[in-house]
Amino acid sequence: MKLVGMADPGRASGRRRAVIGVVVDGRVTPLTEVDDFYADLPHWLEQARAVRRGTVPLAEVTLAPPVPASARVLCVGLNYRAHAAEGGFRAPEHPTLFGRWTASLSVGGVPVPVPANEPGLDWEGEVAAVVGARLCDAGEQEAEAAVLGYAVFNDLTARTAQKLTAQWTLGKNADLSGPIGTVVTADEAGSLADGLRLVTRVNGEIMQDGNTRDMIFGVPELLSRISATLTLHPGDVIATGTPEGVGYVRTPPRLLRAGDVVEVEVDRLGTLRTPVTDASARSGA
């Protein structure tokens, strides 16, 4: 089953609240507002499974991030050994975690601006896991069962800002720099440990070609470890890390600039396409 966030068509002005819709054969049926969806997932998933044909063509829908504004977005750095090595790091003994605000999230097709003080943005194709149940001091088996689904994610990074200090917060929260795709439920996506191919292309050229079986810390372990410190709730997002092939380590470095298009494609999850624009687009962020 495929779930998308969409702008509420019933609100004509102001910041429109997002609703969750279910996609069937290229058409979408709206279900309910995103907060209500995650507050009663069993009910709304039952409603979603009953949909046999969408009511609105997907191409006519204004997409929105498919998670609540209150969600915690936790990203995992250096979670592929080859990616850690290409940056000159050792594989970590414990997950390297940093946070994004939901305000930095966007969706496919939305132009992402390069901040004026950056030479470009770097790509980091990833898989995001969306939590579907409350997790507190959870074991790995409970944690795995609590995954609602997975989505393609691009952790677009402002490297200049990231490298100013040891804390990565600023460089990981540039405006609109966290595009996230359709949520494919776990029963359809399968386990990341079984291996999903992840390919990142820039203007059609392959930059990353990895596989989720190469992750250092799998999703069950990540969720279990995180839940030992903070309670996870439905709608929280774990971006699971990126494989080797990012731009800043290349000789010379290669970064995304206005006019570029970056695509992240993951088996079973689809393709997330993001155009890049200049800093003037920040006025609408």
Side-chain angles (χ1 to χ4, degrees):
M1 183 165 51
K2 297 178 174 62
L3 303 167
V4 295
M6 49 192 291
D8 187 346
R11 296 176 183 267
S13 61
R15 180 174 287 275
R16 296 187 290 181
R17 300 178 73 174
V19 303
I20 293 291
V22 58
V23 182
V24 180
D25 295 332
R27 299 177 70 89
V28 184
T29 294
L31 294 176
T32 187
E33 289 189 352
V34 64
D35 289 345
D36 294 337
F37 178 81
Y38 284 101
D40 193 0
L41 265 175
H43 168 74
W44 290 111
L45 288 175
E46 182 179 356
Q47 296 297 308
R49 292 188 181 99
V51 174
R52 294 291 177 262
R53 186 175 187 274
T55 56
V56 182
L58 181 59
E60 296 179 9
V61 170
T62 300
L63 296 177
V67 296
S70 60
R72 274 81 56 86
V73 182
L74 300 174
C75 303
V76 187
L78 309 177
N79 200 26
Y80 289 72
R81 286 183 173 82
H83 172 56
E86 72 178 353
F89 299 97
R90 298 175 61 182
E93 296 182 13
H94 306 282
T96 302
L97 296 171
F98 58 91
R100 269 188 178 269
W101 290 287
T102 53
S104 74
L105 298 183
S106 59
V107 293
V110 172
V112 176
V114 178
N117 61 342
E118 295 281 345
L121 293 172
D122 207 347
W123 55 84
E124 293 195 10
E126 308 197 11
V127 174
V130 180
V131 177
R134 181 180 182 272
L135 291 174
C136 179
D137 290 323
E140 291 187 20
Q141 186 173 357
E142 178 187 357
E144 185 170 28
V147 176
L148 169 63
Y150 299 96
V152 184
F153 187 73
N154 197 343
D155 183 33
L156 293 168
T157 303
R159 296 292 186 197
T160 300
Q162 181 190 13
K163 294 179 180 181
L164 291 175
T165 71
Q167 300 298 319
W168 296 354
T169 303
L170 187 61
K172 295 292 188 173
N173 280 278
D175 291 338
L176 304 174
S177 65
I180 185 171
T182 300
V183 177
V184 179
T185 52
D187 58 342
E188 189 171 314
S191 171
L192 299 192
D194 293 336
L196 299 183
R197 186 186 181 195
L198 185 160
V199 176
T200 302
R201 300 180 180 88
V202 176
N203 302 328
E205 180 182 354
I206 293 178
M207 297 296 174
Q208 294 180 289
D209 192 348
N211 195 293
T212 59
R213 71 166 62 94
D214 298 328
M215 289 166 51
I216 298 171
F217 303 101
V219 171
E221 182 178 2
L222 288 168
L223 293 178
S224 177
R225 286 185 179 228
I226 292 167
S227 77
T229 301
L230 62 89
T231 301
L232 291 165
H233 295 278
D236 287 344
V237 178
I238 310 299
T240 59
T242 196
E244 65 180 313
V246 295
Y248 84 98
V249 300
R250 295 170 181 266
T251 305
R254 181 167 175 181
L255 299 173
L256 298 166
R257 298 178 173 84
D260 288 336
V261 175
V262 57
E263 295 176 307
V264 183
E265 181 179 2
V266 180
D267 288 344
R268 305 180 194 167
L269 304 184
T271 301
L272 182 67
R273 180 182 184 276
T274 302
V276 179
T277 188
D278 60 33
S280 64
R282 292 185 63 199
S283 60

